[in-house]
Amino acid sequence: MPGRVSARASTASRVANKSSSQTLNSRRTTASPAIAIPDEGPSTSLRVRICSIFSDAQKSTAGHRKLAVSLRKVQEACCYEPSQRQKQTQVEHGEDDFNVEVARCVIRLMSVKKNEGAGDRIVRFLALFLKRASDQDAAVMSGGTEVEDTQSFPETPSTRLTSHILSILISFLGSKEKVVRYRATQVVAHIINSLDSVDDDYYHMIRMGLLKRVRDKEPMIRVQAVLGLGRLAGNEGEEDQEDPDSDNDDANGLLQTLLEVLQNDPSADVRRSLLLNLPLTPTTLPFLLERARDVDPAIRRALYSRLLPALGDFRHLSLSMREKLLRWGLRDRDENVRKATGKLFRERWIEDCAGRPKADDGTETDQAAAPSLSGLLELLERIDVVNSASGNGIAAEAMKEFWLGRPDYRDAIGFDDTFWDQLTPESIFVVRSFNDFCKEGDDGKFEALGEEKMPEVTKLAFFLQRYTNNLVNSIRNNDALSENEQEEDTVEKEFIVEQLLHIAKALDYTDEIGRRKMFALLRETLAIAELPEDITRLVVDVLRGVCGSEREFCGVVLEAVAEVHDNVMTEELKAEGDESFHSARSELSSDTTPTKSKGNEDNSEIDETKAMKEIMINMKCLHIAQCMLENVGEDLQQNVHLVTMLNNLVVPAVRSHEAPIRERGLLCLGLCCLLDKALAEENLSLFLHCFTKGHDALQVSALHVLCDILSTHPDLVTADHVDPALKKSVYKIFSKGLKASHTPEVQSVATAALCKLMLTSVIRDEELLKQLVILFFDPACKENAAITQALSYFLPVFSHSKRENMKAMAAIAAGVVHTQINLADELDAEEETVRVNVVGNMLVDWTDPRKLVIPGVASAGWDEAGGKGVMGVDGEIHLTLADSLLERALGPGCSREERKVLLSMSGKIYVSPNASTEKLQAVTDLFAEAIDAKIAPDATTRNGLNKVHQALTKALGEAGKVQPNMEDQEVGQGIADGLTIPEQGSDVEATKMEVDDDQTTQAQETLLEELLDDEDGDS
């Protein structure tokens, strides 16, 4: 810091060829005896004045401009010839003296630590002064005329001062002291970013030095290095753009290095600095936008709040990139990132489309544009609302943020008759998003606004009828066209009808006239065979809300199904009759007799067309039935319409020889089984057969149906009277699905379904649980993100949710370790696999009884007076784990590596006297046998075994005094799950959960500390 001499200042001063031993304030300071500070000579008036300026600059940034002016005056007095009015006494020092004194102050900065704010203020002041001095010197040398780009920059006192300072700082870039490297890199970076030009010789030296600092082990140094290199890369990139034919390998190498650092540097500060300082070029833009998926939320927020607004017109981005940026930002797990994305969409992107107000000279102003419907429609068009608003698209979420943050658009928007007569995909989506926002936003705060601007139900029904008729006519016209004629694009018309149905789904049907009009329209629309499946599904959903009861709803839908079937068959029979009439007339008028082969060919073509038509009819009817079944929850046998549909439509479809009809019939049958337990029990074996013999898509459907049926009717596999063969078949299906590595979709669906069923205790099987644990650590499933995500949630939640689950996990632990060791031996050396000791630590953590969650019983052991209390922990779970591990380790077939892992796991178990004496004694004997047999391979494992053995001996003595009686203690569900509450005043020395007067829970001992201690011992 200026005004103070440090231990490292002597080294720096020797580099600067100094001979004085005084500080900036001309005072001698004490230093370490090991550091010899050279003599700097007597103090001069120039030194005192410069030191005074730097001393004031380190106090506050408020007066930096005035101080820079003062220092500039000193420089001018030393570097330029004085005028006639100046006294000769003021010109007693030259330019070299000024440069030496300024460099002396910079050297004193090298030892100032990062957390000292004075150091940062001196760096800013120095950069400000060099920038101001360079500009003024350039103006003096140019004589008021601008210097062309082709001319070389003249040598001035400021450029010589800059070169002198850089020559000193470059030698500090490789210092062994991290503080010196940090300050030197920081000053160099600030100088580069504040000046327009640097001497070529120093440029290459700076570039090389900063490239080395990019690989520095200290993140704070790497941050400063990339700040300087970002400016260098920007200048070199501009030169390459001006001369695209140039082969500048150095520039490309620098840019590639920075992009690699941006992608791979472990420090978030380094990546963030590069994100905000790299030049925006077509080469760097994809890498910068890629940071929207960075692991650090601050980087993601900086991208949306700083980089993208400064990028310019978003329309220069590709359509896919716009959609990705919106989806990633609005669905980010960090709330600040979501807010920044919403602000970007509703303030910056809408302004690019609506256009900012222009000043008198034609330039755009910073004022926000007035609400513009055309700008909003263009914005939706730019994000491809037709595709991004359907399914899992992002348009709906983006418009929700838009309406929430733009009250001016909410008030200015209006939907008159002209608007409804000329609907486009963008305009109808504006209406739908506005209606959804008014219905759902802020607990109904904007419902009155929505009712004011939206049309009534009857009027909307007429609009829906008009656009539905347009769509159907277009579809029929396309069907009637020949192969060479151009078909009309119906995608946009389908989208308009879909959005109208979404709006109708959210309307209030208390208006009886409007309800009847909508009911008649939907009933008529549902009977149109040419209607696309997505629209059919929406029609059924809206019809469910219009109808009063499920029985009425089912009757209406089945009438529409029958009408679809009858209308198509009637048209087909009529076409056959006309065709046979014309055929008979042609035969009578013909002079020749038609051959038999020609008649057979015509008949075969007719039969094939008829068969295809019949398949399409049945598929349409089954789809309508499927949509209906997804909207009902009433018992199947209580609804005569559902029984009729099952017998006349679903069962014949299941027995059909056509694969598409049979598969859709199975889906409908599965939905029917959810409504009737007896039907599900009868057809359970059918779905098992479909999985065994079916193709991949049918296997996925069968797994979904089986999971839904077992979740709805768990008694089918959990009841005592269940056929063991059927239960075994169900388990075998899931086991086979877990092993289907050749079909990742089937494997992921089987994993997710089994996890759901095991979490709800529908399926309890240790062998299946073992398969799930092994699958979690299997390197072959690393690429299947669905499996990894499902098991990452399932395994800890399953283990810590119930006592029975934790016991099951403890029972399979030894087998999992054995399988993992065998798997590691079979894999190639190049394949990455999870280390076995990591697997063991996770198994110990999943079976830790202190992490058992028992809802409603957590306060059962607390003192009623509000004082300290004790909550017992079931000690038998880890004893069971230790029993299985030691039995395996002491057995004959255990390898050395496996034994090491098993004993390491045994040394990390939690011991509590809250267990049966027999169990404690048995496990104690096993530990004693393992210690006596000396099977522990290293000292760390032996210490762990001895530690647990001592704890077991102590717990065994305490268990003889205090015996928990689980049958006599009744504290609700907690006892059923194995939570034992010791009596007040009992002498329990094991780990306990204590609550003080402030009700703060503290753990005296945690499993994490034990694991860390053991890992330190292993290292």
Side-chain angles (χ1 to χ4, degrees), residues 142 145-154 196-197 200 231 235 238-239 242-243:
S142 63
T145 60
E146 295 183 358
V147 179
E148 298 181 2
D149 295 339
T150 57
Q151 298 179 1
S152 61
F153 287 91
D196 295 330
S197 64
D200 291 341
R231 174 66 184 276
N235 292 339
E238 292 175 0
E239 294 175 0
E242 294 174 0
D243 187 8

Side-chain angles (χ1 to χ4, degrees), residues 311-323:
L311 187 60
D313 198 331
F314 81 100
R315 290 173 288 189
H316 296 303
L317 297 174
S318 64
L319 178 60
S320 61
M321 183 54 67
R322 297 174 211 155
E323 193 271 335

Side-chain angles (χ1 to χ4, degrees), residues 173-414:
L173 291 177
S175 174
K176 294 182 179 180
E177 296 291 337
K178 64 179 181 181
V179 176
V180 177
R181 296 198 309 274
Y182 168 71
R183 286 300 180 186
T185 309
Q186 183 187 27
V187 176
V188 170
H190 274 72
I191 291 176
I192 292 175
N193 283 281
S194 60
L195 299 181
D196 295 330
S197 64
V198 180
D199 187 82
D200 291 341
D201 296 335
Y202 291 108
Y203 175 85
H204 294 289
M205 296 172 65
I206 292 171
R207 186 176 182 275
M208 183 180 302
L210 292 181
L211 279 174
K212 292 181 179 179
R213 292 308 101 214
V214 167
R215 307 299 182 185
D216 199 284
K217 63 181 180 180
E218 297 295 334
M220 62 179 182
I221 299 176
R222 299 200 301 272
V223 168
Q224 299 301 324
V226 299
L227 288 176
L229 289 175
R231 174 66 184 276
L232 299 182
N235 292 339
E236 293 175 353
E238 292 175 0
E239 294 175 0
D240 293 344
Q241 290 180 1
E242 294 174 0
D243 187 8
D245 297 333
S246 64
D247 186 12
N248 194 347
D249 296 334
D250 293 340
N252 295 332
L254 174 59
L255 196 57
Q256 292 300 324
T257 301
L258 293 179
L259 293 177
E260 180 185 354
V261 172
L262 177 65
Q263 288 182 307
N264 303 315
D265 196 285
S267 174
D269 293 334
V270 177
R271 300 195 305 272
R272 184 173 182 271
S273 300
L274 270 177
L275 175 71
L276 300 177
N277 289 277
L278 274 179
L280 295 175
T281 64
T283 304
T284 60
L285 188 58
F287 294 91
L288 295 174
L289 299 181
E290 189 183 55
R291 291 302 94 200
R293 305 299 288 168
D294 197 282
V295 296
D296 186 69
I299 296 178
R300 303 195 300 270
R301 183 170 64 253
L303 174 73
Y304 286 100
S305 60
R306 297 183 60 181
L307 179 67
L308 288 177
L311 187 60
D313 198 331
F314 81 100
R315 290 173 288 189
H316 296 303
L317 297 174
S318 64
L319 178 60
S320 61
M321 183 54 67
R322 297 174 211 155
E323 193 271 335
K324 286 180 181 179
L325 288 173
L326 276 181
R327 186 174 73 250
W328 292 341
L330 293 176
R331 294 178 181 174
D332 196 279
R333 55 181 173 270
D334 188 81
E335 183 180 359
N336 293 325
V337 179
R338 297 195 297 270
K339 289 181 178 179
T341 310
K343 185 177 181 181
L344 172 72
F345 179 78
R346 66 175 177 258
E347 294 183 5
R348 189 66 181 85
W349 287 13
I350 185 62
E351 296 295 335
D352 292 339
C353 296
R356 294 181 181 271
K358 294 185 178 181
D360 297 336
D361 56 356
T363 59
E364 293 185 353
T365 62
D366 294 334
Q367 298 178 358
S372 171
L373 179 60
S374 60
L376 181 57
L377 297 181
E378 182 185 354
L379 176 61
L380 292 175
E381 182 182 0
R382 295 291 182 178
I383 63 173
D384 190 16
V385 69
V386 175
N387 294 319
S388 61
S390 57
N392 198 30
I394 197 62
E397 299 174 38
M399 287 304 297
K400 181 179 179 181
E401 292 291 332
F402 180 86
W403 295 119
L404 185 63
R406 295 303 298 261
D408 52 342
Y409 272 84
R410 291 200 306 260
D411 297 335
I413 201 74

Side-chain angles (χ1 to χ4, degrees), residues 869-871 873 910 986-994 1002-1005:
V870 178
M871 184 175 68
V873 177
Y910 168 75
S986 61
D987 185 17
V988 181
E989 298 294 335
T991 303
K992 302 172 183 178
M993 299 294 291
E994 299 185 356
Q1002 299 178 345
Q1004 297 178 356
E1005 198 173 327

Side-chain angles (χ1 to χ4, degrees), residues 613-776:
K613 193 73 172 179
E614 186 176 355
I615 292 175
M616 298 301 297
I617 296 171
N618 291 329
M619 291 289 289
K620 179 66 177 180
C621 296
L622 287 170
H623 180 258
I624 298 175
Q626 178 184 345
C627 297
M628 179 194 67
L629 290 170
E630 292 173 355
N631 284 275
V632 296
E634 189 178 299
D635 185 81
L636 182 69
Q637 300 300 329
Q638 302 297 325
N639 194 326
V640 63
H641 301 293
L642 294 179
V643 175
T644 303
M645 179 208 63
L646 175 66
N647 296 328
N648 297 336
L649 182 62
V650 177
V651 173
V654 174
R655 296 174 179 174
S656 175
H657 296 288
E658 301 295 338
I661 297 177
R662 186 168 61 248
E663 292 175 11
R664 183 159 290 184
L666 287 171
L667 289 177
C668 294
L669 180 60
L671 293 171
C672 292
C673 290
L674 300 181
L675 304 176
D676 186 71
K677 181 180 177 181
L679 183 65
E681 187 174 4
E682 293 175 2
N683 294 279
L684 191 61
S685 57
L686 172 64
F687 296 110
L688 298 177
H689 177 76
C690 291
F691 179 86
T692 304
K693 302 297 183 181
H695 50 82
D696 296 347
L698 186 58
Q699 287 182 336
V700 171
S701 300
L703 285 172
H704 284 304
V705 172
L706 285 172
C707 179
D708 293 341
I709 289 177
L710 295 179
S711 300
T712 307
H713 310 294
D715 294 343
L716 295 178
V717 291
T718 59
D720 297 334
H721 61 276
V722 175
D723 184 9
L726 179 62
K727 189 175 182 178
K728 183 178 179 180
S729 299
V730 173
Y731 290 179
K732 186 177 180 180
I733 288 298
F734 285 104
S735 177
K736 185 178 179 181
L738 295 179
K739 298 176 182 178
S741 57
H742 57 285
T743 52
E745 185 179 4
V746 174
Q747 190 179 27
S748 59
V749 171
T751 302
L754 184 58
C755 290
K756 294 176 183 178
L757 295 175
M758 296 191 79
L759 273 178
T760 55
S761 300
V762 176
I763 291 182
R764 298 178 180 179
D765 185 74
E766 292 183 359
E767 188 61 31
L768 288 176
L769 178 61
K770 180 180 177 181
Q771 283 187 250
L772 287 175
V773 177
I774 294 173
L775 188 65
F776 179 63

